[in-house]
């Protein structure tokens, strides 16, 4: 090992940099008698190989809620060797149980988006009229002009507005009228009455500030939903396929889990050498969207989470519970289960 450190909160993890530039981590929980090694492969590449880790250190997060793992990563970017100092985001909803799905961050060397009106976004809502047209009142000046697109979330009461994108009309300093994107007024007379809360953010498609990833293909999460990958232009910009108000943009990585060989046990003992086959798998998930399961990495089936009644224009809420999948496996002496998350979405496997 070249360097090692220890992150105690919120996960007890030993981090090690090897002399080959790999990053290994060991989950360490004496209370549960758990010790397990895994390999962390950062997004991007270096000299036709995976990105190299040059150094690692653990320091407290600015709010002291958990320990942050910081690394120096070496990559080949646009034909040149670059070294970047980066830190690992805290696990989704582990530090903040109420973390919004829009704030999920599962990319490397990435940036976060929090509204296209950087001077004021997000803006707190103080009232919404149950009328035609719907008029939104904000706690402070919003700087929106007629024709801007905004997204609303976290409203209590008039939840019909949450997660939707509207066109601004009739804007004053602290009020705005909601129209559809086609310019028609929103009739709120049949909506639930506004109670409290809510925020607005301006949406857009032009992302800047990715100069450190020029020429790289980046993953995009917009308002909690994956979007098509984009290539960063020479001026550090990308154009999203769909407008969004919040999200994350950065290098892709896969998260893989492979079980040990499964050995069934009966009254007569363990049957390690007998032929066996898996026909069903139950996976217990926590705050998860997406993922796939199969006997090998090249034979995976997606975990279907969207119900027929779910809106196709809204991102899925993270799911907690058990899912059952049929398994297309052959008879083998050693059988395993392979789980993969290949989208910039949260996934925690409990069992």
């Amino acid at each position: 090992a070249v360097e090692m450190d220890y992150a105690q909160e919120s996960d007890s993890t030993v981090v090690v940099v090897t002399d080959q530039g790999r990053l290994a981590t060991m989950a360490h929980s004496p209370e549960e008698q758990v010790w397990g090694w895994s390999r962390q492969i950062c997004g991007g590449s270096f000299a036709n190989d995976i990105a190299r880790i040059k150094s690692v250190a653990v320091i407290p997060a600015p709010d002291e809620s958990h320990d942050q793992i910081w690394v120096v990563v070496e990559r080949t970017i646009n034909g040149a060797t670059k070294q970047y100092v980066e830190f690992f985001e805290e696990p989704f909803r582990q530090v903040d149980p109420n973390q919004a799905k829009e704030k999920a961050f599962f990319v490397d060397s990435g940036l976060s988006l929090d509204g296209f009106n950087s001077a004021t976004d997000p803006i707190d809502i103080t009232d919404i009229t149950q009328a035609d047209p719907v008029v939104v009142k904000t706690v402070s000046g919003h700087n929106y002009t007629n024709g801007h697109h905004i997204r609303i979330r976290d409203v209590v009461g008039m939840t019909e507005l949450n997660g939707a994108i509207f066109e601004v009309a009739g804007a004053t300093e602290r009020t705005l009228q909601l129209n559809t994107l086609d310019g028609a007024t929103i009739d709120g007379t049949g909506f639930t009455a506004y109670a409290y809360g809510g925020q607005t953010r301006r949406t857009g498609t032009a992302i800047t500030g990715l100069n450190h990833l020029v020429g790289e293909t980046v993953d995009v999460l917009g308002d909690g939903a994956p979007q098509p990958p984009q290539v960063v232009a020479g001026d550090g910009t990308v154009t999203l396929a769909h407008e969004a108000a919040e999200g994350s943009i950065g290098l892709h990585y896969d998260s893989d889990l492979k079980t040990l060989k499964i050995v069934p046990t009966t009254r007569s003992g363990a049957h390690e050498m007998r032929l066996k086959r898996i026909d069903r798998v139950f996976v217990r998930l926590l705050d998860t969207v997406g993922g796939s399961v199969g006997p090998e990495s090249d034979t995976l089936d997606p975990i279907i989470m969207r119900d027929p009644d779910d809106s196709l224009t809204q991102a899925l809420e993270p799911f907690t519970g058990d899912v059952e999948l049929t398994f297309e496996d052959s008879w083998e002496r050693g059988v395993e289960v392979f789980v993969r998350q290949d989208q910039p979405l949260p996934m925690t496997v409990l069992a």
Side-chain angles (χ1 to χ4, degrees), residues 314-325:
Q314 299 280 350
L316 287 173
E317 289 294 330
F319 169 80
T320 295
D322 295 344
V323 295
E324 178 184 356
L325 301 99

Side-chain angles (χ1 to χ4, degrees), residues 13 39 81 84 86 137 183 237 242 262 307 317 351:
T13 305
R39 184 173 62 160
T81 298
Y84 298 144
E86 303 171 5
K137 299 179 182 180
T237 63
H242 310 286
I262 297 173
D307 293 328
E317 289 294 330

Side-chain angles (χ1 to χ4, degrees), residues 135-195:
V135 175
V136 176
K137 299 179 182 180
T138 60
V139 71
S140 58
H142 50 66
N143 290 336
Y144 301 140
T145 61
N146 294 341
H148 279 169
H149 292 180
I150 62 170
R151 184 175 185 266
I152 294 176
R153 70 172 175 92
D154 296 340
V155 169
V156 178
M158 197 177 290
T159 56
E160 293 88 347
L161 303 181
N162 285 334
I165 297 176
F166 304 96
E167 182 181 84
V168 173
T172 68
E173 182 183 3
R174 292 175 56 184
T175 67
L176 56 93
Q177 174 185 313
L178 298 182
N179 283 1
T180 68
L181 299 186
D182 295 327
T185 61
I186 299 293
D187 182 358
T189 55
F191 291 172
T192 308
Y194 173 80

Side-chain angles (χ1 to χ4, degrees), residues 123-128 136-139 152 155 194 197-200:
I123 303 170
D124 291 331
I125 295 171
T126 59
D127 191 26
I128 306 175
V136 176
K137 299 179 182 180
T138 60
V139 71
I152 294 176
V155 169
Y194 173 80
Q199 292 181 328
T200 69

Side-chain angles (χ1 to χ4, degrees), residues 281-338:
V281 172
F282 294 86
V283 184
R284 181 160 296 168
L285 302 171
L286 173 67
D287 292 328
T288 294
V289 182
S292 53
V293 179
E296 294 291 343
S297 61
D298 57 351
T299 53
L300 299 174
D301 291 321
I303 301 174
I304 305 300
M305 293 186 172
R306 190 177 292 277
D307 293 328
D309 295 335
D310 289 336
S311 170
L312 296 178
T313 62
Q314 299 280 350
L316 287 173
E317 289 294 330
F319 169 80
T320 295
D322 295 344
V323 295
E324 178 184 356
L325 301 99
T326 58
F327 219 63
E328 298 295 333
D329 198 10
S330 58
W331 290 92
E332 304 284 350
R333 285 189 170 82
V335 293
E336 301 159 326
V337 177
F338 194 98

Side-chain angles (χ1 to χ4, degrees), residues 12 20-21 29 75 89 91-92 95 100 117-118 128 132 134 147 161 168 175 178 182 194 214 216 218 247 286 314-315:
S12 178
Q20 292 85 27
S29 178
R75 299 184 179 94
E89 283 283 354
F92 183 68
V95 174
N117 198 349
S118 59
I128 306 175
D132 182 12
V134 171
L161 303 181
V168 173
T175 67
L178 298 182
D182 295 327
Y194 173 80
V214 167
E216 295 294 305
V218 290
L286 173 67
Q314 299 280 350

